[in-house]
Amino acid sequence: MFGNPIALISKSLIRYVGTLNDVNEANKTISLEQVRSMGTEGRRGNPAEEIPPSNDVYEFIQFSATDVLSVDFVNDDPAIIA
């Protein structure tokens, strides 16, 4: 689980992709390493409110679990089905 690539969508509807570093149940946080912001990708439904992707790679970002809508594992290899 840790060290795997994941995609996280925040309450602000921004998708972040990075490597899972930590899930802290006591502090209710999720930490990612080598994180890229993919922007809102049309999730806001109004072009004027969309946030574009960023070219920056953030070394470390810690998210409050209450500000996370979804977390999915990213599978970059189409040959892996399970």
Side-chain angles (χ1 to χ4, degrees), residues 2-77:
F2 296 107
N4 287 321
I6 66 165
L8 178 151
I9 298 179
S10 69
K11 276 190 177 177
S12 58
L13 302 178
I14 299 171
R15 181 170 65 102
Y16 296 90
V17 177
T19 302
L20 183 60
N21 173 273
D22 184 50
V23 175
N24 188 311
E25 292 182 41
N27 293 336
K28 296 182 170 76
T29 59
I30 300 171
S31 302
L32 303 180
E33 297 176 318
Q34 300 303 305
V35 186
R36 295 202 56 196
S37 170
M38 308 311 285
T40 52
E41 302 171 311
R43 279 181 284 279
R44 291 194 171 172
N46 179 349
E49 295 178 2
E50 296 298 330
I51 296 173
S54 172
N55 291 326
D56 296 329
V57 177
Y58 302 95
E59 187 175 325
F60 181 86
I61 299 180
Q62 186 174 64
F63 298 88
S64 170
T66 59
D67 291 329
V68 174
L69 291 180
S70 71
V71 176
D72 294 305
F73 285 96
V74 176
N75 179 4
D76 292 333
D77 187 346

